Amino acid sequence: MRQEFLPFTRPAINEADIQAVVEVLRSGWITNGPRNQELEQSLCEISNCKYAVALSSATAGFHLLLKAMKIGPGDEVITPSMTWVSTVNMIVLSGARPVFCDVDRETMLATPESIRAVITPRTRLIVPVHFAGAPADIDGIRAVAGNIPVVEDAAHALGTYYKGRHVGSDGTAIYSLHAIKNITAGEGGVFCTNDAALADAVRLYKFHGIKVDAFDRENRGRSPQAEVFDPGFKYNLTDMQAALAVSQLQRIVNINRKRRELAMRYRELLADMPEIRPLAEPAGYAFDPAWHLFVVRVDTPHMDRDTFMAELKKRNIGTGLHFRCAHLQRYYRETMGFRPGILPATEYNSDRICSLPLFPDMRREDVDDVAAAIREVIAR
Ligand SMILES: *Cc1c(COP(=O)(O)O)cnc(C)c1O
């Protein structure tokens, strides 16, 4: 058994990252400033979009998106129930109704068919998730969406390519820089789009609804007067956070390559354990995933997922659960009347999934330890 606990994830922070943050602390300008601008520039380059707005979280990005699109009571927003609850919460808080599409049972991605099945005349927005860093079929989804806007939840997908181009390249995508994501700022998010009006609105509502922020006033000779155009929020990112993300982004290729190597090793070692089923790759289009998570389904009548996680923990191996489906969580069940059985593939996975340890500083031998522990646990 392992002597030392292996966490499910750990941020990849190196000396250069630490130096970058320290430099900001010494610089005299610690909230949003030059490092935020660099972060936005880097995101435009990496994700191939025209406009990027750095924010305090991806959740803030969804909030601002709904505000900018004036989505509210009477509107419906389609998203998978197999997602992080933040998106669903923002939809509900806007006054709109979340409408859940099912996912493919083997990839856990929303599909054009599953989305088409729930579109109504009230649908205002569709938010597919690039789950675990594998891209949803955005072209197919756009085709069924017609004129309804599609915004990609790319929280897992910085460094994910779909048909040879970065996800979000020809539309709008929201990235997360939360501590467990592939690239982190501790907390943070980036709203990326090719739509100038949408970018302007998100930038306006990000900072109180005034058009010129403190850095602009201080450094670009703008008027010292702040003027509210339309009341907004306060969702800016500090330069300490932006500097950390900028520093990490310089090695995104290596970070994601390391994740891929570990994932390939998992696949190899789990191949002869039919009870533990990794997700399948999406079929029908070329893609290159960011390998944000390594998700398996515990699919045996002899052991449930929660026991599996507890048994691994006894063996000093941490795991995660991404995600417990949203529609069966208490608030949504009770206020919106969702019942078990309405989203069969989502519920099948919600009951069985578990995320195995995967982070860039993990060694190949750590993967071997996890596989050996799994073998022992399922043999019991
Ligand atoms: C992490 C995550 C979010 C939210 O990101 P924050 O930066 O924590 O707000 C949204 N959607 C998915 C799928 C996520 O995993």
Side-chain angles (χ1 to χ4, degrees):
M1 193 182 103
R2 277 183 72 91
Q3 290 307 306
E4 191 195 330
F5 184 72
L6 178 68
F8 135 73
T9 191
R10 191 193 293 145
I13 308 289
N14 70 12
E15 274 311 310
D17 295 344
I18 293 168
Q19 271 314 311
V21 176
V22 169
E23 267 170 40
V24 172
L25 289 168
R26 293 193 202 285
S27 73
W29 193 281
I30 60 175
T31 189
N32 56 308
R35 297 289 94 80
N36 264 255
Q37 290 176 348
E38 270 178 50
L39 174 61
E40 292 175 351
Q41 184 68 36
S42 297
L43 253 293
C44 286
E45 284 162 15
I46 291 169
S47 81
N48 191 31
C49 66
K50 285 202 190 116
Y51 311 99
V53 184
L55 300 168
S56 54
S57 68
T59 305
F62 286 107
H63 190 187
L64 297 178
L65 169 72
L66 297 167
K67 167 91 178 150
M69 291 184 66
K70 300 186 167 59
I71 288 177
D75 296 333
E76 294 178 353
V77 179
I78 296 175
T79 196
S81 168
M82 181 49 70
T83 188
W84 179 228
V85 292
S86 62
T87 329
V88 186
N89 286 341
M90 289 303 115
I91 296 166
V92 169
L93 289 170
S94 78
R97 183 176 172 84
V99 172
F100 296 117
C101 57
D102 208 354
V103 290
D104 178 271
R105 195 168 180 266
E106 295 309 312
T107 63
M108 301 224 304
L109 295 168
T111 63
E113 299 71 40
S114 72
I115 287 171
R116 193 202 331 253
V118 293
I119 290 176
T120 76
R122 291 169 178 254
T123 308
R124 290 280 320 277
L125 171 68
I126 299 171
V127 184
V129 179
H130 297 308
F131 191 85
D137 181 7
I138 289 298
D139 288 350
I141 291 170
R142 287 231 180 85
V144 302
N147 294 328
I148 305 165
V150 174
V151 171
E152 302 168 47
D153 180 341
H156 298 179
L158 196 46
T160 293
Y161 292 80
Y162 168 75
K163 297 183 178 173
R165 303 176 69 206
H166 199 279
V167 295
S169 287
D170 48 8
T172 300
I174 299 176
Y175 299 90
S176 171
L177 303 172
H178 174 259
I180 81 160
K181 306 291 154 82
N182 289 26
I183 297 292
T184 187
E187 293 284 356
V190 187
F191 186 98
C192 289
T193 185
N194 291 313
D195 179 334
L198 188 57
D200 282 349
V202 166
R203 207 174 275 289
L204 177 70
Y205 294 126
K206 156 190 173 169
F207 199 71
H208 309 296
I210 58 183
K211 286 197 178 163
V212 181
D213 69 17
F215 186 69
D216 282 344
R217 288 200 299 275
E218 185 88 5
N219 293 280
R220 294 184 179 170
R222 301 264 172 83
S223 155
Q225 304 283 345
E227 182 151 53
V228 175
F229 283 72
D230 195 15
F233 304 94
K234 184 158 192 286
Y235 283 155
N236 54 315
L237 190 71
T238 70
D239 257 20
M240 283 95 78
Q241 293 168 300
L244 176 54
V246 167
S247 177
Q248 296 217 321
L249 280 168
Q250 290 171 10
R251 51 184 206 286
I252 184 171
V253 172
N254 288 340
I255 284 175
N256 287 353
R257 184 193 299 129
K258 191 66 203 298
R259 300 181 85 97
R260 171 195 306 274
E261 285 167 11
L262 297 166
M264 292 305 123
R265 181 74 181 153
Y266 269 129
R267 278 201 181 156
E268 198 181 312
L269 296 174
L270 294 173
D272 66 345
M273 292 186 238
E275 303 90 340
I276 304 301
R277 303 197 309 108
L279 294 183
E281 295 195 334
Y285 48 92
F287 73 101
D288 193 4
W291 280 112
H292 174 55
L293 298 169
F294 194 88
V295 175
V296 295
R297 280 78 56 83
V298 182
D299 204 357
T300 161
H302 304 296
M303 181 171 297
D304 64 32
R305 183 264 322 280
D306 294 352
T307 310
F308 176 79
M309 290 173 79
E311 288 294 326
L312 284 181
K313 195 167 181 190
K314 281 188 206 158
R315 289 164 178 79
N316 264 340
I317 289 164
T319 50
L321 206 178
H322 307 91
F323 298 100
R324 183 181 157 196
C325 58
H327 70 288
L328 297 181
Q329 301 201 20
R330 190 162 99 178
Y331 177 85
Y332 298 107
R333 234 179 29 229
E334 288 181 357
T335 60
M336 294 179 184
F338 297 122
R339 291 285 167 264
I342 59 174
L343 299 169
T346 297
E347 293 169 27
Y348 165 87
N349 282 295
S350 181
D351 290 342
R352 291 170 181 79
I353 44 178
C354 165
S355 305
L356 300 181
L358 181 67
F359 54 93
D361 294 335
M362 219 173 127
R363 297 159 312 148
R364 196 178 153 92
E365 301 82 76
D366 296 325
V367 178
D368 296 2
D369 286 352
V370 178
I374 292 176
R375 201 174 287 282
E376 201 180 290
V377 166
I378 59 175
R380 282 173 12 119

